[in-house]
């Protein structure tokens, strides 16, 4: 087979020969969508000058400098999320995204605010996971005052400015978890609730939806007061052990926040009961194993690839629109996992 020529590429891409020549020699004179189309077709047909086209197109793509602040890298969920964000950026062939990804080991409001401001000084749009706190809200306003839009991930955040949000509908998450207990538990009893931090608004909404379902559908369950793990696996283990010891009639545990690996260790160390239901949050290696061995009954999780794609897309849109354009809200559909579908 003869190798494709410039006329062949022009015909396949639906453009003129002169347009292909300009893409090769003067890419800045061709509209970006046309350059991208010619590049895509050149790859498909094996055009000999695809490298030249690739170089020209890449050089004239708009670059977006975005920053993302996630929680501790040692936690499997956030490490997976960060890697998925990086993969999403790498897969974007029609734009250059300069991603500044940082993991926060110190989750104090002061440290979060410090890193947010630093990220805002070098990026055009920033997203972060954080607990609601006046110090963090003030930092958000400081960043947005410089024209840099801010979006919250997983947990909604509020400030004087318009803060976008990408995450789950946590009211529905809580009600879905409650539905599972109501449908699976054989005899209503006490349910323990673990939260990561009372200031994470997604977890607060999880609990509200959880309680609202039982008020509406089954008041025979007793929902214990939520206990904060402060995102610590060790604290979650101790709290779970205490719940099992103090409430021998406990029929279930809803882990709505951080530290789930500690709660799983405590459940595995206790006497296994077929009538005990445990619902957790986020799918990763440890929770997958817990579903398989029966320690967890169900896991509600963010759809990772969709989450990453919507985050990058929202930040780019916000950057183009400007900090005063108004908040964007992207509600993701959540995934439900059991031992039968992991």
């Amino acid at each position: 087979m003869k190798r494709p020529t410039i006329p062949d590429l022009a015909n396949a891409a639906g453009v003129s020969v002169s347009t292909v020549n300009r893409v090769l020699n003067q890419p800045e004179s061709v509209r970006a969508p046309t350059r991208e189309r010619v590049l895509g077709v050149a790859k498909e047909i094996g055009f000999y000058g695809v490298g030249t086209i690739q170089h020209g197109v890449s050089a004239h793509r708009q670059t977006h400098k975005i920053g993302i602040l996630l929680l501790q890298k040692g936690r499997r969920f956030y490490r997976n999320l960060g890697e998925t964000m990086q993969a999403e950026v790498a897969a974007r062939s029609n734009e250059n995204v300069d991603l500044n990804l940082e993991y926060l080991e110190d989750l104090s409001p002061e440290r979060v605010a410090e890193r947010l401001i630093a990220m805002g000084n070098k990026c055009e749009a920033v997203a972060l996971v954080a607990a609601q706190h006046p110090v963090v809200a003030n930092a958000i306003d400081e960043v947005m005052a410089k024209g840099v839009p801010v979006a919250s991930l997983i947990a909604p955040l509020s400030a004087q400015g318009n803060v976008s949000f990408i995450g789950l509908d946590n009211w529905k998450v809580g009600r879905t978890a409650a539905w599972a207990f109501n449908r699976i538990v054989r005899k209503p009893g006490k349910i323990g609730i673990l939260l990561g931090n009372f200031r994470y608004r997604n977890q607060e909404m999880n609990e509200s939806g959880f309680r609202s379902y039982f008020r509406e559908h089954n008041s025979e369950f007793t929902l214990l007061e939520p206990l904060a793990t402060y995102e610590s696996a060790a604290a979650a283990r101790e709290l779970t052990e205490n719940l099992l010891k103090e409430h021998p009639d406990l029929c279930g545990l809803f882990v709505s926040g951080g530290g789930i690996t500690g709660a799983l260790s405590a459940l595995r160390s206790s006497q296994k009961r077929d009538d005990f239901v445990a619902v957790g949050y986020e799918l990763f290696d440890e929770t997958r194993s817990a579903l398989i061995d029966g320690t967890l009954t169900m896991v509600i999780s963010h759809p990772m690839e969709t989450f990453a794609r919507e985050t990058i897309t929202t930040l780019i849109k916000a950057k183009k629109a400007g900090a005063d354009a108004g908040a964007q809200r992207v509600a993701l559909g959540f995934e439900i996992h059991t031992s039968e579908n992991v």
Side-chain angles (χ1 to χ4, degrees):
M1 294 179 63
K2 68 172 186 176
R3 65 180 184 176
T5 63
I6 288 178
D8 293 330
L9 175 56
N11 183 61
V15 299
S16 66
V17 169
S18 63
T19 296
V20 173
N21 280 319
R22 285 191 293 125
V23 170
L24 282 164
N25 301 299
Q26 295 177 303
E28 71 281 359
S29 68
V30 182
R31 292 176 64 250
T34 302
R35 293 198 304 259
E36 297 290 347
R37 183 167 74 254
V38 171
L39 173 60
V41 173
K43 291 178 179 178
E44 288 177 8
I45 68 174
F47 180 65
Y48 68 90
V50 69
T52 302
I53 297 176
Q54 176 79 64
H55 177 74
V57 170
S58 297
H60 292 88
R61 282 175 181 156
Q62 186 177 13
T63 297
H64 308 288
K65 295 182 179 180
I66 62 176
I68 298 177
L69 294 170
L70 301 178
L71 303 190
Q72 298 104 324
K73 191 174 184 178
R75 294 167 61 182
R76 173 68 68 175
F77 169 73
Y78 287 105
R79 188 160 68 254
N80 289 350
L81 180 56
E83 290 170 354
T84 308
M85 295 283 188
Q86 291 172 322
E88 169 62 25
V89 167
R92 290 190 169 232
S93 60
N94 61 345
E95 55 199 346
N96 296 325
V97 180
D98 181 4
L99 174 63
N100 288 268
L101 177 65
E102 184 176 333
Y103 296 91
L104 296 167
E105 299 303 324
D106 180 354
L107 302 184
S108 66
E110 292 75 17
R111 180 59 175 170
V112 173
E114 175 191 332
R115 296 315 306 156
L116 172 59
I117 292 171
M119 190 73 82
N121 286 333
K122 62 181 179 180
C123 296
E124 298 168 309
V126 180
L128 76 160
V129 182
Q132 184 69 46
H133 193 279
V135 171
V136 175
N138 187 64
I140 291 173
D141 287 328
E142 183 175 334
V143 171
M144 295 185 71
K146 298 176 182 178
V148 178
V150 177
S152 59
L153 305 177
I154 300 176
L157 293 169
S158 61
Q160 291 184 2
N162 295 314
V163 185
S164 296
F165 171 68
I166 307 103
L168 306 182
D169 183 331
N170 297 107
W171 176 266
K172 290 183 179 179
V173 169
R175 289 184 66 89
T176 300
W179 175 90
F181 283 99
N182 189 39
R183 294 287 181 170
I184 300 172
V185 172
R186 298 171 190 170
K187 182 180 179 182
K190 297 176 181 177
I191 299 177
I193 303 172
L194 296 184
L195 303 180
N197 187 319
F198 292 111
R199 284 187 175 271
Y200 284 107
R201 292 175 60 193
N202 62 313
Q203 297 176 22
E204 180 184 44
M205 289 302 296
N206 284 351
E207 185 199 353
S208 296
F210 193 68
R211 292 184 181 277
S212 76
Y213 180 93
F214 285 110
R215 282 195 300 269
E216 181 180 349
H217 294 286
N218 196 334
S219 59
E220 293 184 28
F221 284 90
T222 300
L223 307 185
L224 302 177
E225 283 300 303
L227 302 173
T229 68
Y230 297 102
E231 309 299 312
S232 165
R237 174 163 188 159
E238 182 178 352
L239 290 170
T240 303
E241 289 172 344
N242 291 340
L243 281 171
L244 294 170
K245 181 179 179 180
E246 295 170 10
H247 303 281
D249 55 343
L250 199 70
C251 70
L253 180 68
F254 177 33
V255 185
S256 174
I260 191 170
T261 55
L264 295 177
S265 295
L267 291 175
R268 286 193 174 105
S269 299
S270 65
Q271 183 177 358
K272 192 168 184 178
R273 289 166 39 194
D274 292 335
D275 60 343
F276 190 89
V277 171
V279 175
Y281 206 35
E282 304 305 352
L283 186 70
F284 47 94
D285 291 346
E286 289 81 357
T287 53
R288 185 190 303 273
S289 296
L291 285 172
I292 292 171
D293 68 24
T295 306
L296 275 175
T297 310
M298 188 174 84
V299 166
I300 299 173
S301 181
H302 286 80
M304 283 292 200
E305 293 182 0
T306 302
F307 192 10
R309 182 174 63 252
E310 293 294 342
T311 297
I312 304 302
T313 298
T314 299
L315 288 176
I316 292 173
K317 284 182 179 178
K319 171 227 167 170
K320 291 179 178 178
D324 298 326
Q328 300 181 60
R329 187 179 188 279
V330 181
L332 307 172
F334 50 84
E335 298 175 345
I336 295 176
H337 303 276
T338 70
S339 60
E340 299 302 316
N341 70 339
V342 292

